[in-house]
């Protein structure tokens, strides 16, 4: 992997660190003299920003921001030979933490500089790339509530937790779904379907399915919760890492699957972003690879404390 020309694409709206110019400057210094900084916001075209960086000679693209920024850059680089790295500057940074990257920008930049590129396959739903997870039901509603609270109180983790409580209080009824997983048809009534592609995130919450991820498949978790009381109980068990497969959720393994909702349109979440989209929702693994930079110590260090 050539490293002479590195393009760092920063999202100023991601978390507290992304607003700190000193953090960006320290990361740029650690990346070396060949590093160039590009500004991007979700309202602009990420493909155009990535293309500009490549046209100007970038040999590695670094997504500086949260999971949403990493997802956007991944979608623009999917199928290209240029490797992608992630500099964690968001609120949760699940993808970067799964790569065992430090949340200190300077340390992460040094690890990226010395890292190696590996090809991976990522998830897609109706053509939209995602790295960590996608979901239907109560979680997209939580994200919608979180945006309103962030606008008033700022982007902090405690504020994100309050959006969960607020959304649970407003919950009315579960979804009626038809699921086709690797050709098998199922009917389910649930408040949440969580589609995982991150073994780290599953381990973080004490959920089963990491081995499914390693087999290059989706871990589809269908919550047993159907009432407001069920949701509060499930959230407390998640916090304590005490959830049980079969009791709290059903785990479905699938290489590709489809979810049809009773309503023609539904709210879909993917890597912290959301949109209202047409049913059915079709999930598959990407046909083309994404080259992702892993730190040299990846696989040699212990996972971060899940209670952090």
């Amino acid at each position: 992997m050539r490293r002479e020309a590195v393009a760092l694409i920063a999202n100023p709206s991601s978390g507290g660190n992304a607003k700190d110019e000193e953090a960006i400057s320290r990361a740029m210094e650690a990346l070396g003299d060949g590093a160039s900084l590009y500004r991007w916001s979700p309202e602009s075209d990420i493909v155009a920003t990535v293309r500009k960086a490549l046209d100007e000679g970038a040999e590695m693209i670094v997504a500086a921001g949260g999971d949403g920024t990493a997802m956007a850059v991944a979608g623009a680089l999917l199928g290209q030979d240029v490797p992608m790295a992630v500099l964690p500057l968001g609120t949760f940074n699940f993808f970067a933490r799964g790569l065992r990257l430090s949340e200190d920008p300077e340390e992460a930049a040094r690890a990226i500089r010395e890292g190696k590129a590996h090809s991976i396959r990522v998830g897609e739903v109706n053509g939209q790339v995602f790295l960590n997870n996608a979901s239907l039901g109560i979680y997209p509603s939580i994200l919608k509530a979180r945006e309103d609270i962030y606008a008033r109180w700022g982007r902090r983790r405690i504020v994100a937790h309050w959006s969960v409580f607020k959304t649970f209080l407003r919950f009315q009824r579960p979804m009626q779904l038809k699921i086709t997983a690797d050709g098998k048809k199922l009917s389910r009534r649930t408040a949440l379907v969580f589609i995982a592609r991150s073994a780290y995130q599953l381990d973080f919450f004490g959920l089963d399915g990491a081995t499914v991820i390693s087999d290059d498949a989706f871990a589809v978790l269908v919550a047993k919760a159907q009432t407001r009381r069920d949701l509060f109980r499930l959230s407390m068990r998640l916090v304590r890492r005490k959830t049980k497969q079969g009791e709290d959720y059903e785990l479905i393994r699938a290489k590709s699957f489809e979810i049809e909702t009773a309503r023609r349109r539904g709210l879909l979440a993917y890597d912290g972003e959301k949109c209202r989209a047409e049913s059915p929702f079709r999930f598959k693994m990407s046909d083309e690879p994404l080259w992702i930079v892993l730190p040299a110590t990846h696989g040699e260090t212990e996972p971060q404390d899940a209670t952090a």
Side-chain angles (χ1 to χ4, degrees), residues 120-182:
I120 64 171
R121 296 176 70 203
V122 299
E124 294 183 0
V125 50
N126 291 1
Q128 169 66 52
V129 166
F130 65 95
L131 301 174
N132 294 315
N133 65 75
S135 60
L136 294 165
I138 193 71
Y139 185 62
S141 299
I142 289 171
L143 292 180
K144 189 173 185 302
R146 183 183 299 175
E147 286 184 357
D148 296 337
I149 297 174
Y150 275 171
R152 183 173 181 182
W153 300 105
R155 300 176 68 91
R156 297 191 297 273
R157 292 187 185 183
I158 187 62
V159 174
H161 298 326
W162 167 246
S163 66
V164 176
F165 182 79
K166 182 178 179 180
T167 306
F168 283 2
L169 291 178
R170 294 178 174 178
F171 177 73
Q172 296 294 323
R173 63 180 65 87
M175 302 177 292
Q176 186 66 48
L177 305 177
K178 294 180 181 179
I179 302 174
T180 304
D182 289 344

Side-chain angles (χ1 to χ4, degrees), residues 237-253:
R237 291 175 70 89
L238 279 170
V239 169
R240 297 166 57 199
R241 297 168 53 87
K242 296 292 186 181
T243 55
K244 295 180 180 179
Q245 184 184 162
E247 182 177 336
D248 297 300
Y249 62 91
E250 175 186 5
L251 174 60
I252 301 171
R253 179 190 184 282

Side-chain angles (χ1 to χ4, degrees), residues 43-194:
E43 293 75 28
S44 60
D45 184 3
I46 186 62
V47 174
T49 303
V50 170
R51 174 49 56 192
K52 183 175 187 293
L54 295 178
D55 289 345
E56 293 176 356
E59 296 165 335
M60 178 168 67
I61 304 292
V62 181
D67 289 322
T69 303
M71 174 195 66
V73 173
L77 281 177
L78 189 65
Q80 300 199 47
D81 292 333
V82 177
M84 167 189 165
V86 180
L87 188 73
L89 295 176
T91 306
F92 292 104
N93 303 313
F94 278 120
F95 186 67
R97 292 161 76 181
L99 299 177
R100 304 298 188 267
L101 282 166
S102 169
E103 291 192 83
D104 176 83
E106 188 173 0
E107 289 183 17
R110 284 198 294 266
I112 289 169
R113 195 70 184 180
E114 300 303 321
K116 296 182 179 180
H118 298 262
S119 65
I120 64 171
R121 296 176 70 203
V122 299
E124 294 183 0
V125 50
N126 291 1
Q128 169 66 52
V129 166
F130 65 95
L131 301 174
N132 294 315
N133 65 75
S135 60
L136 294 165
I138 193 71
Y139 185 62
S141 299
I142 289 171
L143 292 180
K144 189 173 185 302
R146 183 183 299 175
E147 286 184 357
D148 296 337
I149 297 174
Y150 275 171
R152 183 173 181 182
W153 300 105
R155 300 176 68 91
R156 297 191 297 273
R157 292 187 185 183
I158 187 62
V159 174
H161 298 326
W162 167 246
S163 66
V164 176
F165 182 79
K166 182 178 179 180
T167 306
F168 283 2
L169 291 178
R170 294 178 174 178
F171 177 73
Q172 296 294 323
R173 63 180 65 87
M175 302 177 292
Q176 186 66 48
L177 305 177
K178 294 180 181 179
I179 302 174
T180 304
D182 289 344
K184 183 179 180 181
K185 296 184 181 298
L186 307 166
S187 294
R188 294 293 185 268
R189 185 176 171 84
T190 179
L192 171 66
V193 179
F194 187 83

Side-chain angles (χ1 to χ4, degrees), residues 9-24:
I9 298 178
N11 177 6
S13 65
S14 292
N17 280 343
K19 298 176 183 178
D20 186 349
E21 291 298 326
E22 182 183 355
I24 294 289

